[in-house]
């Protein structure tokens, strides 16, 4: 496996040897000093060029400079997920030695939004100043409205999990559980961690730092929210989510002076219990 130093040299040598490439910026985890370093980190690189044309969907250029990727994705060449269409071209590449380079080639000027970034090369000496915001990835403090909306979305979407589980519609139950409901759970757990750390903490993408930031019992509960295809386990995961969300939401509400709608939680808990027990079907038959 090529070392990080070798990959960076390759990136910079390519830029130095091409007059069309004027500057090189690195973003992502390798530009963030607070991100734990490991061999799986991507090299998120942006080449700022005069003209994007020579690099547009040009695998010959890629292979001649970086080697042949084991797998590559080119968003601007895809129809399945329409690209941004901003004039840039992006190569997402994993090489046979395990290194990954995400390379953006753009003629647009750099816009500083505070994201951690490292300027690797500036041929013209006029690259804009980079003002990294220390709190760029920190959990943001919610408003009462945002908090309440999250609670409502979480509780409401659990009804879809219950119905799909009762009908044995596996793919729908899993989609509702692991997308709509889980998204709100992760958001609330992020706020819980934010409140505990004075909103000076990052949970990482999709809460990837939960294991080190959540109390042990809460992380164990979070782990139990992941289910296999057994419907009994799906029900258990859904009720575990409900308990964990309530614990986190009450804590956030207490820390931030918010109001938590206990009636909303009781309502969905009752409905889920009715669906799981078959009570609604019996009631209909008896009626």
């Amino acid at each position: 496996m090529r070392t990080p130093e070798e990959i960076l040299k390759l990136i910079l040598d390519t830029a130095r040897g091409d007059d069309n490439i004027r500057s090189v910026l690195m973003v992502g985890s390798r530009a963030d000093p607070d991100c734990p370093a490991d061999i799986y980190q991507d090299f998120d690189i942006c080449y700022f060029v005069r003209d994007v044309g020579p690099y547009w969907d040009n695998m010959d250029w890629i292979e001649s400079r970086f080697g042949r990727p084991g797998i590559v994705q080119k968003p601007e060449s895809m129809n399945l997920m329409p690209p941004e269409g901003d004039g840039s071209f992006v190569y997402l590449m994993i090489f046979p030695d395990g290194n990954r380079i995400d390379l953006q080639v753009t003629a647009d000027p750099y816009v500083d939004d505070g994201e951690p970034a490292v300027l690797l090369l500036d041929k013209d000496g006029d690259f804009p100043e980079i003002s990294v915001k220390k709190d760029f990835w920190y959990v943001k403090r919610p408003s009462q409205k945002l908090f309440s909306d999250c609670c409502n979305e979480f509780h409401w979407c659990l009804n879809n999990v219950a119905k799909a589980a009762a009908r044995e519609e596996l793919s729908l139950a899993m989609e509702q559980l692991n997308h709509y409901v889980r998204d709100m759970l992760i958001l609330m757990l992020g706020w819980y961690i934010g409140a505990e750390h004075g909103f000076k903490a990052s949970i990482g993408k999709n809460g990837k730092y939960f294991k080190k930031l959540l109390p042990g019992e809460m992380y164990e509960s979070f782990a139990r929210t992941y289910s296999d295809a057994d419907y009994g386990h799906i029900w258990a995961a859904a009720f575990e989510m409900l308990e964990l969300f309530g614990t986190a939401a009450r804590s956030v509400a207490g820390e931030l002076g918010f109001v938590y709608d206990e009636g909303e939680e009781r309502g969905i808990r009752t409905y889920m219990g009715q669906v799981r027990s078959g009570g609604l079907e019996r009631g209909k038959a008896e009626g």
Side-chain angles (χ1 to χ4, degrees), residues 98-172:
N99 276 298
R100 172 172 165 175
I101 300 176
D102 291 355
L103 176 63
Q104 178 186 14
V105 184
T106 182
D108 293 335
Y110 170 69
V111 177
D112 186 3
D113 61 1
E115 178 182 359
V118 177
L119 181 61
L120 300 179
L121 180 65
D122 179 12
K123 293 181 180 178
D124 302 314
D126 59 0
F127 199 87
E129 182 178 352
I130 300 173
S131 55
V132 175
K133 294 180 180 177
K134 176 68 175 176
D135 63 352
F136 186 84
W137 297 115
Y138 287 174
V139 175
K140 303 299 187 292
R141 182 187 182 100
S143 64
Q144 170 73 68
K145 174 62 173 169
L146 194 60
F147 172 83
S148 296
D149 286 352
C150 174
C151 294
N152 182 255
E153 176 74 357
F154 174 85
H155 291 129
W156 175 256
C157 289
L158 276 170
N159 96 87
N160 295 320
V161 177
K163 290 190 296 183
R167 293 167 174 159
E168 296 193 353
E169 298 168 336
L170 180 62
S171 60
L172 180 59

Side-chain angles (χ1 to χ4, degrees), residues 87-106:
S88 301
F89 199 88
V90 174
Y91 296 92
L92 309 176
M93 304 172 286
I94 299 177
F95 293 89
D97 66 355
N99 276 298
R100 172 172 165 175
I101 300 176
D102 291 355
L103 176 63
Q104 178 186 14
V105 184
T106 182

Side-chain angles (χ1 to χ4, degrees), residues 2-101:
R2 288 171 293 182
T3 66
E5 292 76 19
E6 289 174 319
I7 295 295
L8 286 173
K9 183 177 185 302
L10 182 61
I11 289 166
L12 288 172
D13 284 349
T14 297
R16 291 188 181 108
D18 187 334
D19 189 60
N20 191 32
I21 301 173
R22 305 312 301 166
S23 54
V24 182
L25 190 72
M26 182 168 67
V27 295
S29 64
R30 290 186 182 274
D32 185 353
D34 293 330
C35 184
D38 63 26
I39 62 172
Y40 304 109
Q41 286 180 294
D42 309 338
F43 291 85
D44 294 291
I45 302 296
C46 185
Y47 280 169
F48 291 89
V49 302
R50 293 193 179 108
D51 179 15
V52 178
Y55 318 101
W56 193 272
D57 203 2
N58 186 348
M59 287 304 298
D60 288 339
W61 174 73
I62 286 291
E63 291 179 15
S64 68
R65 268 64 177 184
F66 304 100
R68 178 175 293 184
I71 183 171
V72 61
Q73 186 173 90
K74 298 174 288 183
E76 280 70 30
S77 298
M78 299 178 72
N79 292 330
L80 179 63
M81 297 169 286
E84 294 184 8
D86 61 0
S88 301
F89 199 88
V90 174
Y91 296 92
L92 309 176
M93 304 172 286
I94 299 177
F95 293 89
D97 66 355
N99 276 298
R100 172 172 165 175
I101 300 176

